[in-house]
Amino acid sequence: MSSKAEAEFIYEDFVLHTAPEKFFIEPLQAPNEVLVIDRVSRDIALHNGITVPPIASRQRICGLLGTVRLLSGPYLVAITRKARVGELNKCTIWRVEHTEIIPFSRTTTHLTEAQERFNTQYVNMLEMVLRQPHFYFSYTYDITQTIQRLHNTTPEFLQIPLHERADPRFVWNSHLLRDLAARPGLGRFCLPVVHGFVSIKQCSLNGHPFSWSLVSRRNCSRAGTRMFMRGIDSGGNVANMVETEQIVEFQGDKNSFVQTRGSIPLFWSQYPNLRYKPTPTLSERDNHQEACTRHFDAQLFNYGKQVVINLIDQKGAEKKLGESMSSHIRQLNTPNVRYEAFDFHHECRHMRWDRLSILMDRIAEEQEEMGYFLMTRDGVLARMQDGVFRTNCIDCLDRTNVVQSMIAHRQLQQALQRLSILREDQRLEEHSGFEFLYKNVWADNADMISIQYSGTPALKTDFTRTGQRTKLGLVRDGYNSLCRYVKNNFKDGFRQDSIDLFLGNYQVEEDEGTARPSPLAGETDWRFTVLLAILLGSVFMFLTTVLVPSAYSAETLLYMLFWGLMAYGTTAVILVYGGEFVQNPRLCPRRPRAKLGRA
């Protein structure tokens, strides 16, 4: 086939033949072109007309995510089940439903007992990431790119295989693809996947059917969990950076509107320490301005003008972050970056969410100037989007999604009128069926991005879904906040390690556990276990002293005082050294570990 044909698609479905010595990966679209992976020598090569041994087992797979090296050797990672999401630009988008991690080596007898235990743990980490909702891909469409970026590419660029021309910021399996991508001619086997949220809905207003889609792409450059991954790195990458694109397709017309979200672009941290809300801390030794400049240089290059909407509190623990962010953005000294602070919690206190209209009025002029992308059915470029709103709160989850959904709603109103789907005198709010769909898709987007970052669904989605803040919503938010507390303190160390392993931030060497120690070999300090036992014992004795006696004597009161002070003192010590009680990452430690009894 020509190079143009090669660039147009990736093989869709395969038969994986597993023989004792080799893997044979046979595309159903080209049965004579077989990818052979030697399980012993680890060579990877493409063969034409090769005969598969009859002893080999067979299974259908949907694509290859790549390979990963662990203690027992390489593993093949394959998609074994997929679900159709819908069509974008006449190309089918799929969601990964199930994967399988298959070892090259047929035995682990060459490992020590400890290495075998660590290897199993590494496999569990990879499986955990692959179970996170949701990964998406397309065999024929570059889902990593916005419609406007695809329009701006040259014909020569489209000749490049899909995995090479994909935006590396959003290819979550780029580390897994490295062995396949290093071999020439394997472009049709290299399937890039994105992580985030994709919704494609077929809608109709005023008798006009159209497709309305929402695509959120999570940036993998500084990916991680809510508390262990905050702020910026020296390269200008920020945590929880997400590009969200709203797309309307109508009778050949294509409309697109892009927004971004991302952590405050400074060196700051908020490591879990058993307190409900740890105090955010700004670094005093890192060059904030240099990293902030790099971040906005990249934003300007990728998106054009920036309106930075900061929704954090302008008092209390968040105030210092806001003031520092404002100062560093002013020092950029460019008219292409404008800072807009809006104290979400203060302005909307007492459930006055109607006051969000204040913010919407402030940014209305910029939204009109930025515009949106519109390509008509006859190939005429009617409009380009020049700039984006970059929205953040502390987590870039709950408050951020509320504001983004309102900005997107206003743009959608304009786009549907421009496409003559809505009349000039009509409002989207008048179409209750579509409004219900719109709000719930944006709330689903909030939940998905939140689950991927914090481990729980988003807060404040009752407003996104219904347009009102309710008491039931407050109760649900309280439950989700409690779940976040537990996960962020006691489960996210393992989850952060899993993400670092999957993305290649930590790479396993096969001599780990023999020639050099494994980071998984650390043990919990016994003193903390003793402290927890003392705390539980003190609380038990205090409650027993309070509840058991029918009359209180001086001796009983002394017992109560003693056990109460014991419980209080132990709790104080635990909170002072709270960072040692949480589950911290081990593969790529995020902070120096304080030691009990040391300053």
Side-chain angles (χ1 to χ4, degrees), residues 24 87 162 189 213 232 336 340 377 409 460 464:
F24 301 86
E87 286 193 358
L162 187 59
F189 293 85
S213 306
I232 200 168
N336 293 325
E340 181 68 57
R377 66 200 70 177
H409 189 275
K460 303 176 178 67
T464 309

Side-chain angles (χ1 to χ4, degrees), residues 445-472:
N445 177 70
D447 284 341
M448 200 56 58
I449 299 300
S450 180
I451 288 171
Q452 292 160 359
Y453 187 48
S454 73
T456 72
L459 312 181
K460 303 176 178 67
T461 51
D462 57 326
F463 179 82
T464 309
R465 293 187 190 278
T466 67
Q468 296 180 347
R469 196 73 167 109
T470 63
K471 293 181 179 177
L472 179 60

Side-chain angles (χ1 to χ4, degrees), residues 6-164:
E6 180 177 347
E8 287 177 347
F9 68 91
I10 294 173
Y11 288 137
E12 291 196 18
D13 293 290
F14 306 83
V15 176
L16 171 61
H17 304 268
T18 304
E21 306 297 330
K22 295 178 180 179
F23 295 121
F24 301 86
I25 303 169
E26 175 190 352
L28 296 184
Q29 294 163 282
N32 291 327
E33 195 170 63
V34 180
L35 180 65
V36 180
I37 302 177
D38 194 302
R39 301 175 68 179
V40 180
S41 69
R42 305 175 185 178
D43 288 337
I44 301 175
L46 197 60
H47 294 267
N48 289 308
I50 193 170
T51 302
V52 177
I55 194 176
S57 63
R58 293 165 50 94
Q59 71 177 107
R60 287 283 295 270
I61 62 173
C62 310
L64 298 176
L65 290 177
T67 61
V68 61
R69 300 172 191 175
L70 303 180
L71 290 176
S72 67
Y75 283 72
L76 183 68
V77 186
I79 302 171
T80 55
R81 196 164 64 245
K82 62 186 179 182
R84 186 178 184 275
V85 180
E87 286 193 358
L88 278 178
N89 201 20
K90 299 180 181 180
C91 297
T92 303
I93 308 300
W94 301 92
R95 183 176 65 242
V96 175
E97 289 290 285
H98 190 266
T99 58
E100 188 171 343
I101 304 173
I102 308 166
F104 281 33
S105 176
R106 291 177 293 158
T107 178
T108 58
T109 54
H110 60 291
L111 301 180
T112 66
E113 183 178 346
Q115 282 183 313
E116 191 168 352
R117 185 172 67 254
F118 298 149
N119 191 74
T120 300
Q121 196 165 346
Y122 284 132
V123 173
N124 291 339
M125 288 178 179
L126 294 173
E127 290 175 341
M128 181 182 190
V129 174
L130 292 168
R131 286 195 305 267
Q132 290 286 310
H134 283 294
F135 290 95
Y136 301 89
F137 64 92
S138 174
Y139 301 110
T140 55
Y141 184 74
D142 188 354
I143 196 176
T144 69
Q145 307 281 4
T146 65
I147 288 181
Q148 181 163 309
R149 286 201 298 268
L150 286 173
H151 170 76
N152 291 334
T153 57
T154 63
E156 293 78 17
F157 186 72
L158 296 177
Q159 304 303 311
I160 302 173
L162 187 59
H163 73 281
E164 293 184 17

Side-chain angles (χ1 to χ4, degrees), residues 218-446:
R218 295 190 70 211
N219 194 315
C220 58
S221 299
R222 187 169 167 76
T225 59
R226 175 174 173 249
M227 288 299 193
F228 288 114
M229 195 59 70
R230 297 289 212 188
I232 200 168
D233 63 19
S234 58
N237 303 301
V238 297
N240 201 26
M241 190 74 192
V242 183
E243 174 188 271
T244 299
E245 181 181 18
Q246 180 171 262
I247 302 168
V248 176
E249 296 178 87
F250 174 60
Q251 296 180 356
D253 296 334
K254 298 183 184 69
N255 168 260
S256 165
F257 179 68
V258 176
Q259 301 181 72
T260 65
R261 69 177 77 185
S263 189
I264 293 172
L266 304 172
F267 291 98
W268 66 282
S269 59
Q270 196 178 14
Y271 296 124
N273 59 6
L274 296 186
R275 298 180 185 274
Y276 176 72
K277 194 173 183 179
T279 302
T281 304
L282 270 169
S283 171
E284 296 181 355
R285 64 179 183 273
D286 292 294
N287 191 328
H288 297 278
Q289 191 60 47
E290 181 179 329
C292 185
T293 300
R294 287 180 179 173
H295 173 72
F296 281 106
D297 283 347
Q299 284 286 104
L300 291 168
F301 175 81
N302 288 314
Y303 303 105
K305 298 175 183 177
Q306 303 284 301
V307 175
V308 183
I309 302 176
N310 185 12
L311 303 174
I312 68 173
D313 298 346
Q314 295 176 24
K315 62 178 182 179
E318 298 179 7
K319 180 180 179 181
K320 185 177 179 181
L321 282 177
E323 291 175 343
S324 184
M325 180 179 180
S326 173
S327 172
H328 287 292
I329 289 178
R330 282 197 305 271
Q331 291 178 52
L332 294 175
N333 195 27
T334 171
N336 293 325
V337 179
R338 188 176 82 78
Y339 179 75
E340 181 68 57
F342 184 81
D343 191 331
F344 189 105
H345 286 150
H346 176 75
E347 295 289 347
C348 301
R349 65 191 184 281
H350 307 308
M351 299 172 66
R352 286 291 309 277
W353 287 49
D354 58 295
R355 292 179 59 80
L356 285 169
S357 61
I358 298 173
L359 173 63
M360 297 302 293
D361 290 342
R362 289 183 192 170
I363 63 175
E365 184 176 346
E366 278 96 353
Q367 184 164 0
E368 184 62 36
E369 291 174 355
M370 285 179 185
Y372 47 79
F373 177 85
L374 178 60
M375 173 72 75
T376 64
R377 66 200 70 177
D378 53 6
V380 174
L381 180 61
R383 193 165 187 182
M384 293 276 282
Q385 183 175 346
D386 182 22
V388 297
F389 292 101
R390 183 209 184 275
T391 309
N392 74 266
C393 48
I394 282 291
D395 298 325
C396 306
L397 296 176
D398 314 316
R399 292 171 275 184
T400 293
N401 199 79
V402 169
V403 170
Q404 283 197 335
S405 69
M406 295 179 70
I407 295 173
H409 189 275
R410 182 158 62 188
Q411 183 274 331
L412 185 59
Q413 168 83 31
Q414 296 172 352
L416 294 180
Q417 289 175 338
R418 177 72 181 269
L419 295 170
S420 299
I421 295 173
L422 286 181
R423 298 190 305 271
E424 290 297 324
D425 62 341
Q426 283 186 310
R427 305 286 298 171
L428 267 178
E429 292 87 342
E430 299 169 9
H431 299 268
S432 57
F434 182 81
E435 275 289 285
F436 178 81
L437 173 68
Y438 177 88
K439 291 175 180 178
N440 277 278
V441 167
W442 268 96
D444 291 342
N445 177 70

Side-chain angles (χ1 to χ4, degrees), residues 452-501:
Q452 292 160 359
Y453 187 48
S454 73
T456 72
L459 312 181
K460 303 176 178 67
T461 51
D462 57 326
F463 179 82
T464 309
R465 293 187 190 278
T466 67
Q468 296 180 347
R469 196 73 167 109
T470 63
K471 293 181 179 177
L472 179 60
L474 290 173
V475 173
R476 189 180 296 113
D477 286 355
Y479 172 76
N480 284 332
S481 295
L482 178 61
C483 291
R484 278 187 187 180
Y485 173 83
V486 173
K487 290 187 176 184
N488 295 165
N489 281 279
F490 305 113
K491 293 181 178 292
D492 275 0
F494 183 82
R495 198 158 67 96
Q496 182 67 58
D497 282 338
S498 302
I499 294 170
D500 285 330
L501 179 66

